[in-house]
Amino acid sequence: MFEAAELGHKVDKESYKAQLPALREALLDAQYELRERGSFPVIILINGVDGAGKGETVNLLNEWMDPRLIDTHAFGDAGLEEYAQPAMWRFWRALPARGRIGILFGSWYTLPILNRVVGKLDKADLRGAVDDIVRFEDMLCHEGALLLKFWFHLGKKQQKSRLKALEADPLTQWRVREEDWEHYKQYDEFRDVSEQVLLRTSTGHAPWVVVDGEDERYRSLTVGKLLLQALRSRLEQTTPDSPRSNAPPLLAPLDGVRVLDKLVLDQAMSKADYLVELEKWQGRLNQLSRHPRFRAHAVVAVFEGNDAAGKGGAIRRITAALDARQYHVIPIASPSEEERAQPYLWRFWRHLPKHGKFTLFDRSWYGRVLVERVEGYASDADWMRAYGEINDFERQLSDAGVVVVKFWLAIDADEQLKRFEAREQTGFKRFKITPDDWRNREKWDAYREAVHDMVERTSTSEAPWTLVEANNKYHARIKILRTLCEAMAAQLD
């Protein structure tokens, strides 16, 4: 794969000077048009061989274009905050909004390749990491991102000469680190692993571009022209590509029985028994939250359910058992303009808890396969692919030591009607009822079908769904507290 980048490509000085002004002007025009439209982000990955001109190219792009509209991020070793999060967290945070360009100097490819070369990953681990990357990039492209991946290459002899030249110049010797020479000693291993990774991740919507890094003028014009061509091609599309699903439609159970039909929604629990159980499980939760081993973990709790099913009340019983400095409750409503400028998971990525903390989501990323599906806010292709994207996201949380608990609070239509009417008649509860709640009741069957598909496709061993019979609020709250405590205890043990 790298042979074509070892042919000694060159551009003479006169030709470079002649082409540069028009290229820079065209890049600026495209960048400003991108900003004005604000319809998609541009993500540029800069990876490759040490000494092949990656840093110079990043600086050059910021010089050629308006740096105020570019988000540049250089990724080295992860810091303490980053180690306490899923491995992709620091890249999630760096994604540019629609209308902007993001340059990622070093990316989600760096660590898998390095760890395979030094023996921290075996072949199966590398395949798993690569598969995760492909699915993540699929999501970015389906969300509208223009993803450009540049690999800067040097042959082994050229790399050695380049590192020596940089080291010999007092102005550039700081750029050559001891680890660069260590990597040079493992050049053949790096080349082999990198080739495997690039071949498996060069896809139709996010192909790799391998750039000969030996000649500065050649690599600069190559990257600039490819960036301009990609920008102009996307900007000149008269209509955006509409996502289509080639999958067959989801089939409802032939006998009409769905997962919620098996729940006995009326579970008996008296107030006296509830108060005893409440004290027991809140005390247990408090103990677990202060357990020394919990400092290496976190909790993400997801609350979904029918309108008026008691999500808020259940959340309050959890937070009453915790130190106020230890948790955040994130109520999810319609996305803001800032959130709509990012992938749909972005507004949840930004609220993930640190070690020793809790984040409680009052509604969550499952809106993509529930309300967005039922109300037609997402295309069939978008909500159908979301099942896999959600499973990937939750698995990454679990791999990072996060306890993921998900609750669907279910009530029947008669109980919901009773609660709606009670809210309207109680002054301090009126804020809990909106016209949308009444409108959603008219789509009860559609939501019931969506919940069935959601549970069937996203209840995994890492993040199973707990279905809560919620006609009796006392029973629902105790079941939720008990389930949360048991999940935390299992992780800590």
Side-chain angles (χ1 to χ4, degrees), residues 94-281:
L95 295 176
R98 289 186 174 92
R100 296 185 63 84
I101 296 173
I103 300 177
L104 277 57
F105 184 6
S107 67
W108 41 83
Y109 286 95
T110 304
L111 203 56
I113 291 173
L114 176 61
N115 283 343
R116 175 58 185 146
V117 171
V118 301
K120 291 183 179 180
L121 295 180
D122 60 21
K123 289 183 179 179
D125 292 331
L126 181 63
R127 281 196 297 271
V130 167
D131 289 343
D132 287 343
I133 287 172
V134 170
R135 289 195 297 272
F136 175 63
E137 292 181 351
D138 282 346
M139 183 195 71
L140 292 179
C141 293
H142 283 305
E143 289 286 309
L146 174 59
L147 180 58
L148 304 174
K149 304 189 299 191
F150 293 103
W151 184 273
F152 292 79
H153 184 72
L154 288 174
K156 191 172 185 178
K157 291 181 180 178
Q158 287 78 14
Q159 186 188 27
K160 184 177 182 180
S161 298
R162 173 71 169 159
L163 292 176
K164 282 188 172 182
L166 290 171
E167 208 170 42
D169 187 339
L171 298 177
T172 59
Q173 60 185 197
W174 61 272
R175 290 166 52 188
V176 181
R177 304 160 300 170
E178 184 177 341
E179 64 188 77
D180 294 331
W181 285 112
E182 291 298 320
H183 291 169
Y184 169 74
K185 294 176 184 177
Q186 297 175 292
Y187 179 91
D188 294 332
E189 292 89 338
F190 270 105
R191 179 187 172 113
D192 180 58
V193 173
S194 300
E195 184 174 59
Q196 294 176 42
V197 171
L198 266 63
L199 287 171
R200 293 184 61 198
T201 57
S202 192
T203 60
H205 50 256
W208 277 102
V209 176
V210 179
V211 180
D212 187 339
E214 185 174 4
D215 181 72
E216 178 182 356
R217 292 185 290 270
Y218 175 83
R219 69 172 182 253
S220 300
L221 284 181
T222 297
V223 172
K225 289 188 173 185
L226 282 168
L227 173 57
L228 176 61
Q229 181 181 358
L231 273 169
R232 287 260 58 100
S233 177
R234 174 65 72 86
L235 290 168
E236 288 168 6
Q237 289 182 3
T238 55
T239 58
D241 292 334
S242 57
R244 296 188 302 274
S245 175
N246 296 319
L250 301 183
L251 182 66
L254 297 181
D255 59 1
V257 178
R258 292 168 174 78
V259 64
L260 297 181
D261 299 329
K262 294 297 184 180
L263 295 179
V264 180
L265 299 180
D266 289 304
Q267 297 285 334
M269 178 171 284
S270 67
K271 185 171 184 179
D273 290 340
Y274 164 71
L275 293 175
V276 172
E277 291 291 299
L278 181 65
E279 183 176 3
K280 170 186 172 181
W281 290 108

Side-chain angles (χ1 to χ4, degrees), residues 290-360:
R290 293 184 288 108
H291 195 290
R293 285 200 290 273
F294 186 56
R295 296 172 190 163
H297 299 278
V299 168
V300 166
V302 171
F303 292 84
E304 296 282 357
N306 300 115
D307 295 329
K311 296 181 291 295
I315 290 171
R316 287 194 295 274
R317 271 63 188 183
I318 291 174
T319 58
L322 302 174
D323 186 322
R325 296 165 295 183
Q326 204 172 11
Y327 67 83
H328 290 284
V329 178
I330 309 298
I332 298 301
S334 299
S336 65
E337 288 298 321
E338 180 189 21
E339 291 166 340
R340 277 194 284 267
Q342 296 282 359
Y344 79 97
L345 283 172
W346 179 83
R347 60 176 174 154
F348 308 106
W349 291 334
R350 64 199 298 216
H351 293 301
L352 295 180
K354 299 177 182 178
H355 283 175
K357 307 289 186 181
F358 294 71
T359 297
L360 312 177

